[in-house]
Amino acid sequence: MPHPFDLSDSNFSRLQSRAVPLVDDLNSVIAKLLDLVEGDEPATEADIRASPSKIVKKFDPATPPDLTHTKVISVTFDGKQLDKPTWNGLKDAAIRYIVKTEKDKDKLKSLILCPFVFGKKEDEGYRYMADLGISVQSQDSMGAFKVAYHIASNHGCGMKIQFMWRQKEAALHPGMTGIMEIGAW
């Protein structure tokens, strides 16, 4: 059943500017705007930076989407926001957390789900983390996320990641932004 309502000239003009001529009516434009607010429409990176609380879609970190061709917008791990957020930066933050809290070297081998060695190694994709005395191999976006998620979910750390798929045909959701979070971050 239709619901009549009064609309100011200025709001009507704003809605009209978002309409596709000869396609949209007032109801379809309002539906598009509601889809955007409710998270069904892709947002641009500029939209995210202008309004960081506007998240397009929330994903379950236990079953993450394909993160290939994504860019990290922001990361908070164990209450600390990363200055330069990247997938490998998230992985490193999780590894720093677990190495500082777990002193049993044998347990670390089961807790860190990526190749690492004690001591300095800087070939084959390894990067030395001098503050920890270990070298960790870089990972792709999915691998880095899985390392961080395993540590966070098994050790009570909060984690929140805001990311965006790049505008590439091979990306799962080109231009769409998402968020994954667990625990108190």
Side-chain angles (χ1 to χ4, degrees):
M1 171 170 90
H3 298 279
F5 59 92
D6 290 327
L7 192 62
S8 70
D9 289 341
S10 110
N11 283 339
F12 183 80
S13 294
R14 290 173 66 199
L15 287 171
Q16 197 173 30
S17 73
R18 296 187 176 271
V20 176
L22 302 176
V23 173
D24 284 321
D25 60 12
L26 187 58
N27 193 54
S28 66
V29 173
I30 291 171
K32 285 180 181 182
L33 292 171
L34 287 171
D35 287 346
L36 180 64
V37 169
E38 292 170 353
D40 297 330
E41 285 292 316
T44 66
E45 189 171 351
D47 291 337
I48 297 165
R49 294 202 186 282
S51 181
S53 63
K54 182 191 271 185
I55 304 302
V56 172
K57 186 157 182 164
K58 189 172 183 176
F59 294 93
D60 180 357
T63 56
D66 182 358
L67 300 171
T68 305
H69 303 298
T70 57
K71 175 182 181 171
V72 177
I73 304 300
S74 67
V75 171
T76 303
F77 189 88
D78 191 38
K80 298 170 188 85
Q81 188 160 7
L82 273 61
D83 292 334
K84 295 181 180 178
T86 64
W87 290 112
N88 276 289
L90 168 63
K91 170 193 60 92
D92 291 351
I95 290 172
R96 277 193 169 83
Y97 170 85
I98 201 63
V99 169
K100 289 180 179 177
T101 58
E102 179 57 62
K103 300 303 177 193
D104 184 338
K105 289 185 177 188
D106 289 329
K107 282 188 181 178
L108 287 176
K109 291 177 183 175
S110 67
L111 296 172
I112 300 174
L113 299 181
C114 68
F116 77 98
V117 296
F118 295 100
K120 190 172 186 175
K121 179 176 174 78
E122 294 181 317
D123 60 349
E124 299 177 337
Y126 283 82
R127 192 175 48 75
Y128 183 55
M129 299 173 78
D131 58 323
L132 303 177
I134 66 171
S135 299
V136 180
Q137 195 171 52
S138 292
Q139 300 292 297
D140 64 9
S141 53
M142 287 300 293
F145 172 76
K146 287 177 182 179
V147 169
Y149 176 75
H150 178 73
I151 291 169
S153 63
N154 288 297
H155 298 282
C157 297
M159 177 174 78
K160 180 178 180 181
I161 307 134
Q162 186 176 355
F163 59 96
M164 176 180 178
W165 277 276
R166 297 180 188 277
Q167 290 287 356
K168 292 187 172 190
E169 190 175 310
L172 182 62
H173 300 294
M176 181 182 277
T177 60
I179 188 170
M180 290 188 285
E181 61 187 311
I182 61 171
W185 39 269

